Amino acid sequence: MNIHTNGISLFYQVSGSGEPMLLLHGNGEDHQIFTELGAKLADHYTVYAIDSRNHGQSQKTEDYSYETMVNDIFGFIEELDLGPVDLVGFSDGAIIGLMLAMKEPMLIKKMALLGVNLKPEDFTEESYQFVKETYEETKDPLFKLMLEQPNIELEEVRKVVTPTLLIRADGDIFKPETYINLLATLPNATLKIMNDHDHASYISNQDMLYPHLMDFFGNN
């Protein structure tokens, strides 16, 4: 399905029944990374799996910024009169979820942030060099985005009282301190570490997060 919001067309897939839950994918992906997980969540929620602008079947634009993508999702929720919603965001989707909670705290009941970062400096040195070299070779604006954004100060997230589940892989592309600091700063956060996984391996085409998410969201 398509919806027009914030001046563009966003593609999304809806399934299930119950309270609304948004699934937001990461950089360079689309909603299909959540196919297996979404199918299970749809037994309990109305699941909206969205393609971000410049991804999947959503409209391509010249605007590559997290702030704009936050406004896209805000508009999506408003257009469909969904709020407040539960939200699961991976990587870029987690950044969008966190920034949305900072901007419009009443729109999100609970959120799971998978593989989130606050700044480009949160990359491990090896991961940052990979992103930098890939951008130099390809000039892909999605890689440029990761080199320049987001720019969220740790103190700015202290006001986010939304119950939050932080999830990171033990082999993530972001430094462990990122999550330690977030856990200490977010007032209502818990942390789950996925052992023997990299940034995306426990998410892409996987349903292994299902029991952890149900433990968290199922206590609404």
Side-chain angles (χ1 to χ4, degrees):
M1 302 177 70
N2 289 278
I3 186 170
H4 195 268
T5 183
N6 199 29
I8 67 162
S9 174
L10 289 181
F11 178 85
Y12 68 100
Q13 184 178 69
V14 60
S15 57
S17 61
E19 295 297 308
M21 175 178 281
L22 270 56
L23 304 183
L24 306 179
H25 63 79
N27 189 296
E29 302 161 345
D30 63 25
H31 72 279
Q32 294 181 82
I33 69 164
F34 292 120
T35 297
E36 285 78 5
L37 179 62
K40 286 198 168 183
L41 292 171
D43 288 338
H44 307 276
Y45 298 92
T46 301
V47 175
Y48 296 84
I50 307 166
D51 285 353
S52 297
R53 69 167 57 210
N54 300 313
H55 292 76
Q57 299 177 58
S58 287
Q59 188 172 332
K60 306 303 183 284
T61 75
E62 296 299 316
D63 190 339
Y64 290 81
S65 75
Y66 292 117
E67 184 175 357
T68 300
M69 288 191 280
V70 168
N71 290 332
D72 291 344
I73 300 305
F74 171 77
F76 181 92
I77 295 170
E78 292 287 287
E79 286 286 335
L80 294 178
D81 194 23
L82 298 180
V85 302
D86 287 318
L87 185 147
V88 177
F90 167 55
S91 203
D92 276 18
I95 294 168
I96 294 166
L98 178 58
M99 291 177 65
L100 182 60
M102 294 167 63
K103 173 185 172 68
E104 299 287 346
M106 301 307 292
L107 273 188
I108 304 178
K109 289 188 292 184
K110 291 184 176 183
M111 60 183 180
L113 306 181
L114 325 174
V116 69
N117 70 307
L118 302 182
K119 295 186 174 185
E121 297 94 292
D122 293 333
F123 278 109
T124 64
E125 182 61 32
E126 181 182 3
S127 298
Y128 183 85
Q129 287 302 317
F130 172 78
V131 174
K132 182 173 179 288
E133 291 169 8
T134 301
Y135 175 65
E136 289 171 351
E137 292 173 8
T138 66
K139 301 304 180 185
D140 185 337
L142 290 173
F143 280 82
K144 185 172 188 283
L145 173 65
M146 291 188 285
L147 292 173
E148 298 179 348
Q149 300 180 42
N151 290 290
I152 303 169
E153 297 297 333
L154 192 61
E155 279 302 306
E156 292 177 339
V157 306
R158 192 175 297 279
K159 62 186 177 183
V160 178
V161 297
T162 307
T164 303
L165 174 62
L166 299 167
I167 300 182
R168 78 166 181 89
D170 62 352
D172 216 305
I173 59 176
F174 301 121
K175 299 170 184 173
E177 305 92 87
T178 302
Y179 301 89
I180 295 169
N181 293 336
L182 272 172
L183 183 64
T185 305
L186 284 165
N188 292 311
T190 56
L191 174 64
K192 170 68 179 176
I193 299 174
M194 302 299 290
N195 292 314
D196 302 318
H197 284 281
D198 62 29
H199 184 58
S201 63
Y202 65 99
I203 300 164
S204 296
N205 305 310
Q206 300 285 346
D207 61 13
M208 64 179 63
L209 280 182
Y210 174 73
H212 306 297
L213 295 180
M214 288 307 300
D215 283 346
F216 175 67
F217 288 108
N219 295 322
N220 279 339

